Amino acid sequence: MGFTYEPLDGNQIRLLRPVSRPSNSLSFEIVHISLLSKPCYAALSYTWGPPGDIHGILLNGHAFPIRQNLHDALQQIQGSKHVAQLLWVDAICINQGKTDNALNELSVQITLMKQIYEQATKILVWLGNPANEANNRLAVLMMKTFSNRLRKVVEKGRPYRPWWWQHKFRTAGEDVADFVLTISPAKDKEVFDVPGSRTYQAWLGVISLWKSSWWTRTWIFQESTIPESFTTFYIEGVTALTSSSKVKFLCGDQDTSWPELSATIIVASSIITTPGIDAQFLVGALKSVDKLRGFRRQRIQHVHWSFLDILQMVRHTECLDPRDKVYAPLCLAPDDVLHYIKPNYASKTVLDVYADVVGYCLTQPGHELDFLGHALYQEGAQAVVTPQGVQSVLPSWVPNSSASLNIFPVPKNLYFPENVGRKGLTFYDKRGIPSNKEALVAAYNPLGNAPSRSFIMDNKLCVSGVYLDVLQDIIKNTGPDLEAIRAVAREQGFKWATASKHKYFTGESYVGAMNRTAVLDLVYDERGRPSERGNKVDYAFLRKPRAELSVTECRYQMNMRSAQVTASALRDLGSSQKLYLLMIPNTAMVGDLIWALAGGQALYILRLMNQEMNQYRFIGECYAHGLMDGEIVRKLNLGEVRMEDISLI
């Protein structure tokens, strides 16, 4: 007879206690423990893997089936010293059945996930068994070397000083820039070498580790980025020493940590951007790892996120149930989110769950329509199905969180420059808006303080807005290299400039306006966040070799490239009938309409579907140079445009 789950009470969870057996088989005792009792246990983070290759273990003496990858992880953990007593594993400790009782238990346990991982004394990340054990050992050794080199650079830049000693404040970005300047991939054989060399084989091991399917899981953002006391803190430029991390990454019989992974990511990024080195094999493997590292860094620094920011971070990840794209990040969300969104696997469809997100956003003053930045209409891509076979067809205005789109919403806020040592300094953006208390300043404000009148009715989003213009021409974006786009579309761009007599309506040159439009007029800081307005692409500067740049110029070049890549993601350059320069979604078509909507911090591309009913299909967000800072309000006051009530379907 197989194992049968007993119900849990209140704050209880199940934990596994290993049972000693003479054979190599896996046997555990299930114990029910309240989290309020602060038990000592390790939590496992891993991928479930495909449903085939079932192995049997013993729970309380009864047979229990598990998949291959979990079996490999438990075998490795049992043979190591990583777990002495209790272990938490979701596939075993949460009833995964399909009965109403099991689904209700799952809904409750999901709300405890943050507490489960935060209270764990150790978090073990199982990346799987390596394809090549020799390369795996070389990879772990190389990562430790890079971590030590980074630590020495940081210590040199941040020597110990008493608190009263005069010192120059340093940012984390300066530490990274200093470290990058010590890396010479073209000369240092310990950093990069020819195929077949020891260093090259080590990089193959790193890539194998980074290509583990674990990095693509939705749930890892809460599981492996727990803020810890080991983190290095910099207070007034003084370095605080660190202790070991409780997060351990296991790959076969080798283990590594976040500091080692972080240093290796920096080195890999440096190699990729070094002219004359063919290191494209690193690019694909680096993306997911670097995104998780950035999230962890911001979580440690207690960066404020909206729930939409968090949903965006996990959008590229994978999960079996599309509802988990909303439920998994709940533990990272602001407290008020749980008043509107509660896990319910028993009765809610995907549309119900995704619409709950919209319903929550509509309650956020001044940011009611921010969720539209996460929606991009794609023909035939609006249907989503649960594992139980229940299909939902999403309206165009509901963000499809299950779609792994490389979408970057038009930024809604400008962030303070990183300056811990001068918290009392008043920050002014280029429009002269002071802020002593607020950490954020609105990046754009197209309709001023026009109140939002948005609400949902019969799967339609009812909104108020101002019609502005018609999309007339498009320069297609073939990738993040906007200079290449300009070269391909030089003739088309010249026609636009000629039609405008080489002057934009704001009074600046047409080329200058185009270069500002290409980066949404935003300057990015060292954390990859928009920090001020007034940026433009300087292609000559972007082409300069890193070896010719100072530390400050190196940082500025990286930040400019970040602005360029972010602005061009899934966007094309457009021109309207009134010759407005636009950054538009790449699914927009000539003849689509440009609107400003009350409660929205950007402009929007809509497609008329029913003129009599005033119904539109939402296509995506839009940036229009010269119309983002209240100019539309002046047009309203002069009677040049008017507010209308419309519905999005």
Side-chain angles (χ1 to χ4, degrees):
M1 184 176 177
F3 174 78
T4 302
Y5 284 99
E6 296 293 332
L8 293 168
D9 296 328
N11 258 26
Q12 279 189 332
I13 62 172
R14 298 184 185 92
L15 293 174
L16 304 178
R17 178 180 287 125
V19 176
S20 299
R21 292 179 64 85
S23 65
N24 199 32
S25 62
L26 296 169
S27 180
F28 301 92
E29 176 190 356
I30 284 275
V31 294
H32 292 200
I33 296 181
S34 171
L35 286 170
L36 297 177
S37 67
K38 303 292 175 79
C40 293
Y41 61 93
L44 180 64
S45 176
Y46 67 105
T47 55
W48 280 32
D53 296 327
I54 299 298
H55 292 260
I57 64 171
L58 292 178
L59 291 183
N60 292 351
H62 299 284
F64 188 88
I66 61 173
R67 297 183 185 181
Q68 177 71 54
N69 193 50
L70 177 54
H71 185 266
D72 291 343
L74 294 177
Q75 288 278 21
Q76 182 62 47
I77 291 170
Q78 181 173 266
S80 67
K81 297 181 180 179
H82 291 297
V83 177
Q85 292 297 325
L86 300 174
L87 178 66
W88 185 87
V89 181
D90 62 349
I92 303 175
C93 297
I94 300 176
N95 188 344
Q96 303 294 333
K98 302 304 178 187
T99 65
D100 286 346
N101 286 339
L103 292 173
N104 289 332
E105 178 185 304
L106 177 61
S107 299
V108 172
Q109 290 285 295
I110 291 300
T111 64
L112 298 176
M113 292 290 244
K114 179 182 180 181
Q115 195 175 352
I116 289 171
Y117 279 94
E118 284 186 348
Q119 285 190 202
T121 54
K122 189 177 294 185
I123 297 172
L124 303 177
V125 174
W126 174 250
L127 299 177
N129 285 317
N132 186 305
E133 293 186 4
N135 288 352
N136 189 49
R137 286 192 291 270
L138 289 173
V140 171
L141 184 61
M142 183 173 70
M143 288 192 290
K144 293 182 187 298
T145 301
F146 290 153
S147 179
N148 289 334
R149 289 175 64 167
L150 173 59
R151 179 175 52 79
K152 290 178 181 178
V153 169
V154 172
E155 289 175 350
K156 182 178 180 181
R158 298 175 180 268
Y160 171 76
R161 295 287 187 271
W163 64 268
W164 45 264
W165 192 286
Q166 186 176 4
H167 64 275
K168 180 183 177 182
F169 178 79
R170 283 177 62 87
T171 66
E174 288 175 300
D175 291 331
V176 172
D178 281 351
F179 180 50
V180 168
L181 291 177
T182 67
I183 300 169
S184 302
K187 299 178 181 178
D188 190 342
K189 302 298 184 183
E190 291 186 358
V191 172
F192 195 76
D193 205 352
V194 297
S197 65
R198 180 184 175 90
T199 301
Y200 192 88
Q201 296 303 119
W203 276 116
L204 292 180
V206 170
I207 291 172
S208 179
L209 188 148
W210 286 350
K211 284 188 174 180
S212 165
S213 58
W214 180 86
W215 299 100
T216 66
R217 286 182 65 237
T218 301
W219 293 93
I220 64 174
F221 278 78
Q222 64 158 336
E223 296 171 356
S224 64
T225 62
I226 300 295
E228 305 176 67
S229 59
F230 75 89
T231 307
T232 302
F233 291 97
Y234 303 112
I235 304 172
E236 295 293 336
V238 178
T239 302
L241 297 180
T242 64
S243 59
S244 60
S245 167
K246 76 174 185 180
V247 180
K248 291 293 183 184
F249 293 84
L250 311 179
C251 186
D253 60 355
Q254 300 293 305
D255 64 83
T256 186
S257 64
W258 268 122
E260 293 162 5
L261 284 166
S262 298
T264 307
I265 290 168
I266 296 170
V267 175
S269 301
S270 178
I271 293 171
I272 291 168
T273 56
T274 299
I277 290 185
D278 182 12
Q280 286 303 304
F281 68 100
L282 287 172
V283 177
L286 179 64
K287 186 176 179 181
S288 295
V289 187
D290 196 25
K291 189 164 189 173
L292 187 63
R293 178 187 74 112
F295 176 81
R296 173 181 177 267
R297 182 178 66 245
Q298 293 178 50
R299 191 177 179 189
I300 287 172
Q301 294 167 342
H302 303 289
V303 172
H304 170 78
W305 299 299
S306 69
F307 188 45
L308 288 173
D309 292 333
I310 297 169
L311 292 178
Q312 177 65 19
M313 291 177 194
V314 305
R315 188 163 193 164
H316 71 287
T317 62
E318 299 175 1
C319 56
L320 181 62
D321 192 324
R323 292 171 293 186
D324 285 344
K325 286 294 186 75
V326 173
Y327 290 159
L330 277 179
C331 67
L332 304 170
D335 293 337
D336 63 333
V337 175
L338 284 173
H339 295 307
Y340 296 88
I341 305 172
K342 296 183 183 297
N344 184 344
Y345 290 94
S347 60
K348 289 211 169 187
T349 66
V350 177
L351 176 56
D352 293 333
V353 176
Y354 290 4
D356 283 346
V357 175
V358 175
Y360 164 75
C361 293
L362 291 177
T363 67
Q364 304 302 298
H367 295 277
E368 293 91 342
L369 299 185
D370 283 3
F371 68 90
L372 289 175
H374 300 258
L376 178 69
Y377 181 76
Q378 294 183 306
E379 195 71 41
Q382 300 299 108
V384 187
V385 184
T386 67
Q388 293 76 31
V390 179
Q391 177 173 297
S392 296
V393 178
L394 306 181
S396 64
W397 48 271
V398 174
N400 185 357
S401 296
S402 69
S404 183
L405 296 175
N406 187 33
I407 186 172
F408 290 92
V410 172
K412 307 304 184 295
N413 298 305
L414 301 179
Y415 292 78
F416 274 109
E418 184 180 325
N419 200 340
V420 178
R422 296 179 175 81
K423 288 185 178 179
L425 184 66
T426 300
F427 169 70
Y428 292 85
D429 77 349
K430 293 207 170 182
R431 292 168 291 151
I433 303 175
S435 177
N436 286 307
K437 297 180 180 179
E438 297 296 327
L440 307 175
V441 173
Y444 312 106
N445 196 14
L447 270 180
N449 296 319
S452 171
R453 299 197 293 263
S454 305
F455 59 93
I456 300 171
M457 184 176 66
D458 298 330
N459 276 353
K460 296 189 292 290
L461 180 67
C462 301
V463 295
S464 300
V466 175
Y467 162 70
L468 297 171
D469 205 358
V470 180
L471 183 59
Q472 179 176 263
D473 202 2
I474 300 173
I475 295 178
K476 283 294 181 182
N477 177 10
T478 56
D481 188 350
L482 293 183
E483 185 173 13
I485 298 168
R486 289 179 70 237
V488 172
R490 192 178 302 277
E491 182 178 352
Q492 195 173 358
F494 183 75
K495 289 179 181 178
W496 293 4
T498 302
S500 298
K501 299 181 180 179
H502 299 280
K503 278 284 185 182
Y504 199 58
F505 80 93
T506 57
E508 62 194 304
S509 72
Y510 193 85
V511 171
M514 183 176 285
N515 287 343
R516 290 177 69 179
T517 302
V519 290
L520 308 182
D521 194 38
L522 293 173
V523 178
Y524 280 69
D525 65 14
E526 297 160 355
R527 298 185 190 172
R529 307 177 308 175
S531 58
E532 59 180 300
R533 295 280 297 279
N535 193 18
K536 64 173 65 175
V537 178
D538 184 341
Y539 295 104
F541 178 70
L542 286 177
R543 284 194 300 266
K544 290 187 70 173
R546 190 169 60 241
E548 298 178 9
L549 303 177
S550 66
V551 172
T552 301
E553 289 174 331
C554 181
R555 291 164 54 205
Y556 183 61
Q557 187 188 70
M558 289 190 294
N559 296 343
M560 181 180 291
R561 186 168 283 114
S562 177
Q564 179 192 33
V565 171
T566 301
S568 64
L570 297 181
R571 293 192 183 97
D572 297 329
L573 197 61
S575 179
S576 71
Q577 286 184 357
K578 296 178 182 178
L579 303 180
Y580 297 138
L581 278 171
L582 315 164
M583 285 298 283
I584 58 175
N586 65 0
T587 54
M589 300 166 55
V590 170
D592 285 343
L593 309 176
I594 304 157
W595 280 75
L597 302 178
Q601 306 301 309
L603 301 182
Y604 305 94
I605 299 293
L606 307 182
R607 187 170 298 160
L608 182 62
M609 302 303 292
N610 187 323
Q611 187 167 3
E612 183 179 349
M613 302 291 292
N614 233 7
Q615 293 179 343
Y616 295 80
R617 175 173 290 159
F618 180 80
I619 305 301
E621 277 188 325
C622 166
Y623 169 91
H625 191 63
L627 292 179
M628 304 300 290
D629 299 307
E631 294 85 354
I632 301 169
V633 176
R634 182 182 62 82
K635 292 178 180 292
L636 275 170
N637 293 335
L638 294 174
E640 298 176 7
V641 295
R642 63 188 177 90
M643 292 287 288
E644 301 178 55
D645 293 330
I646 63 174
S647 60
L648 306 183
I649 60 175

